[in-house]
Amino acid sequence: MKVWQVVGYKNSGKTTLIEKWIQLAVQAGYKVGAVKHHGHGGLPETGQTSTDSNRHLRAGALAAAVEGGGMLQLHAIHPEWTLSKILHMYSLFSLDFVLIEGYKDEPYPKIIMIRTPSDWEQLGHLQNIIGVIAWQKDFVPFDIPYPLFSLDNEQTYLQWVMNEVEKAR
């Protein structure tokens, strides 16, 4: 099962990218799962129809979860839900791939969403970066060794992520 990450800070476009990526992949016949890290401390909200994991489900994900404060929102309480435990559980769903929102320090191939210059300063050192989507391209050095996309050029970066999916098939 292939895994990709989308990382960035609050309101950088992570959930929207994953939502659109899921929609395209499902239309192409893929079975997709999604995991969101609730990075704001405490337990994830329950019963909310507008949560990011609900957006992932509505986009077509066969499995979607959010983890925070020891709660994996499949309403299963465990002292600690590591990403590896969640992905192990997801392996039971026969998914083609999983998209992870957050978990910045995990080693999976990742796309970084950059909203401000300080976002690049804090995220540009992460391992396994495969692409960057920036609100303004001048926030990111032009000599980076992976593709750099403008947030406004949605069609181009969505085609690129689907090409990455096809290459991993």
Side-chain angles (χ1 to χ4, degrees):
M1 178 175 67
K2 182 70 177 171
V3 177
W4 284 281
Q5 292 178 259
V6 176
V7 301
Y9 291 105
K10 189 171 178 71
N11 296 320
S12 61
K14 299 179 305 292
T15 302
T16 300
L17 171 59
I18 289 177
E19 183 178 34
K20 291 177 180 183
W21 192 347
I22 291 168
Q23 289 171 341
L24 288 171
V26 169
Q27 289 171 5
Y30 289 94
K31 295 182 286 184
V32 185
V35 178
K36 177 186 171 58
H37 184 239
H38 182 66
H40 309 295
L43 299 175
E45 296 178 29
T46 59
Q48 300 289 325
T49 58
S50 63
T51 62
D52 294 344
S53 58
N54 283 328
R55 287 177 62 183
H56 298 157
L57 285 171
R58 285 193 306 271
L62 295 179
V66 61
E67 182 281 326
M71 176 190 271
L72 176 65
Q73 202 167 58
L74 290 170
H75 302 286
I77 303 293
H78 189 282
E80 180 186 7
W81 282 103
T82 62
L83 182 57
S84 63
K85 287 179 185 177
I86 296 167
L87 291 173
H88 177 73
M89 185 175 56
Y90 270 39
S91 69
L92 302 173
F93 299 132
S94 299
L95 301 170
D96 295 311
F97 66 91
V98 175
L99 298 175
I100 300 170
E101 183 175 335
Y103 293 96
K104 293 175 184 73
D105 294 321
E106 291 292 330
Y108 301 100
K110 61 184 57 72
I111 298 168
I112 298 180
M113 304 293 293
I114 302 296
R115 186 172 176 190
T116 68
S118 66
D119 290 355
W120 176 254
E121 292 171 15
Q122 296 177 42
L123 298 173
H125 70 280
L126 295 176
Q127 61 179 333
N128 290 329
I129 298 170
I130 60 167
V132 175
I133 300 172
W135 285 48
Q136 293 183 27
K137 283 181 149 182
D138 60 351
F139 291 166
V140 180
F142 286 102
D143 60 348
I144 59 174
Y146 26 79
L148 171 62
F149 302 96
S150 171
L151 184 68
D152 296 332
N153 203 347
E154 183 178 277
Q155 185 175 358
T156 301
Y157 64 75
L158 287 175
Q159 182 61 53
W160 176 77
V161 297
M162 288 306 296
N163 288 342
E164 292 296 305
V165 169
E166 287 294 321
K167 285 193 311 193
R169 186 175 257 200

